[in-house]
Amino acid sequence: MSEPEAAGEARRYHVATCPVCRELALKTFVAEQVVQFECGGCGSFGITAAARPILSGKSQEVCRGWLERARQQVAASGGFALVDIENQPIA
């Protein structure tokens, strides 16, 4: 999802660690508080600055569940899966 930005520039991706599976992935900044990840295992998703530190302390199983919940919430609209504290699974 490397669509050109409003200024006509392509997003710049950087190597990072996926916050869900903890494998190498690419990340780019979408907005001030949202980072987009392109991961070979987890696919494309965004994560808010508020949710990212919470994920770092959770097991991979919990992280995958949180991402799946975000995907289910946007499945009908075909939108972008965004991991946020609002869709954190209760566990």
Side-chain angles (χ1 to χ4, degrees), residues 57-87:
K58 302 290 184 186
S59 70
Q60 286 186 16
E61 181 180 339
V62 170
C63 293
R64 288 181 198 279
W66 198 345
L67 176 57
E68 184 57 33
R69 184 177 170 109
R71 286 202 169 112
Q72 289 171 355
Q73 290 178 338
V74 297
S77 67
F80 184 67
L82 181 65
V83 175
D84 191 8
I85 57 173
E86 298 297 321
N87 56 19

Side-chain angles (χ1 to χ4, degrees), residues 25-72:
L26 296 175
K27 76 173 182 177
T28 190
F29 294 93
V30 176
E32 186 176 324
Q33 297 293 316
V34 177
V35 176
Q36 177 185 345
F37 283 87
E38 297 288 340
C39 176
C42 299
S44 179
F45 65 96
I47 184 169
T48 63
R52 197 160 179 195
I54 297 170
L55 273 183
S56 69
K58 302 290 184 186
S59 70
Q60 286 186 16
E61 181 180 339
V62 170
C63 293
R64 288 181 198 279
W66 198 345
L67 176 57
E68 184 57 33
R69 184 177 170 109
R71 286 202 169 112
Q72 289 171 355

